[in-house]
Amino acid sequence: MTSEQWSAAVRLLWGPPAKPARGPKRGLTLEGIALAGVGIADAEGLGGVSMQRVAAELAVTKMALYRYVPGKAELVALMVEAALPDPAGLDAELAAAAAAAAAGAASAGGGWREQLGVWARGLYEGFRAHPWLLEATVGARVMGPRELGWMERALAALDGCGLSGAEAMDSVVLVAGHVRGIAEQERAMAGGGGGAGGEGPDGQLVAMLGEVLRARGDDYPALAAALGSVAEQGGQEQALLYGLERILDGLGLLVERRGR
């Protein structure tokens, strides 16, 4: 983003409701413009979004759209804000996780582990609902109230754990990075045509490797044994939760150390 785009995005996301810069009133709203862009991105990906396409979707001219949104960078910022789930929707689940942990005499932090689990699964579902968010939420950019609300709730879950501000931020980034990685893998597999019978990414990977290892399994005995165990005992489609649990295990050790 240029400095001009940055300033414009701040005004659109955080300022009072915008009015068209000039010309007659067209009845457009920033929310309606953003949702039109979201619909296009959901159907075609972020590359399908342009000011011209959104204007056509809203049955206005591109110049009319420019009276509300100065360009695509600012449009995408509005789309991200519109597409992200409202973090307030997590509050009841987070409170329930904290209460359940307290009732079970959980470690210090008021159920931070349970709360981060709720948070991570909610973020994952947001990426699944709108895969283009993975592309739109990278790099230096302006974040809106919803996106900052997600960060706030993750950091609040770690309050009282004895971590420094930097450690808490890095912990949230670590969890979010795991969620993004699994969602990226799922998106890539879906983009490649998906698996038979609606298999998820883990199942697709096992199926592809199994086909190769049936002929060359003797060259990769450890891999063949691991895949054989997966086939016999299950355990596919667990990458998100397995990785999350291991991250939280490590974070738990740090919290315990800080509490000594």
Side-chain angles (χ1 to χ4, degrees):
M1 274 191 174
T2 66
S3 59
E4 291 80 6
Q5 290 171 329
W6 189 281
S7 296
V10 169
R11 288 194 300 272
L12 291 172
L13 290 169
W14 293 96
K19 297 180 180 179
R22 60 186 182 279
K25 182 179 180 180
R26 295 284 185 171
L28 297 181
T29 65
L30 292 180
E31 181 182 14
I33 292 168
L35 290 176
V38 168
I40 295 170
D42 284 348
E44 304 176 29
L46 199 58
V49 177
S50 68
M51 296 292 283
Q52 182 66 56
R53 286 292 309 282
V54 172
E57 188 74 17
L58 295 169
V60 299
T61 66
K62 185 164 70 170
M63 289 308 298
L65 190 59
Y66 278 124
R67 294 171 186 151
Y68 293 82
V69 182
K72 183 175 177 179
E74 296 86 352
L75 171 62
V76 171
L78 289 171
M79 289 166 53
V80 168
E81 183 69 7
L84 279 173
D86 187 345
L90 286 177
D91 289 346
E93 290 184 75
L94 292 171
S107 60
W112 65 267
R113 181 176 183 129
E114 292 78 5
Q115 292 179 71
L116 280 185
V118 168
W119 183 87
R121 291 188 293 273
L123 184 63
Y124 174 70
E125 290 304 323
F127 286 141
R128 288 194 71 188
H130 306 286
W132 55 271
L133 281 172
L134 293 162
E135 181 182 351
T137 55
V138 295
R141 59 200 170 76
V142 179
M143 299 183 186
R146 282 192 176 185
E147 193 166 4
L148 287 189
W150 275 87
M151 186 178 296
E152 170 68 19
R153 282 159 176 80
L155 290 171
L158 292 170
D159 189 34
C161 289
L163 304 182
S164 69
E167 288 171 338
M169 287 286 290
D170 286 344
S171 298
V172 172
V173 169
L174 181 61
V175 173
H178 172 64
V179 172
R180 289 183 68 93
I182 297 300
E184 286 277 15
Q185 180 185 5
E186 185 171 289
R187 182 190 189 195
M189 296 296 259
E199 283 185 333
D202 291 357
Q204 294 173 42
L205 179 61
V206 168
M208 288 186 289
L209 288 175
E211 185 175 346
V212 173
L213 291 177
R214 276 192 288 273
R216 304 298 297 271
D218 290 344
D219 296 334
Y220 308 96
L223 180 57
L227 288 179
S229 176
V230 169
E232 291 176 5
Q233 302 177 18
Q236 299 176 15
E237 312 310 328
Q238 298 298 314
L240 174 69
L241 296 181
Y242 180 84
L244 177 61
E245 288 299 310
R246 301 296 72 77
I247 290 171
L248 297 180
D249 284 346
L251 186 54
L253 292 175
L254 179 60
V255 171
E256 182 180 357
R257 188 184 310 158
R258 290 290 184 270
R260 291 175 183 170

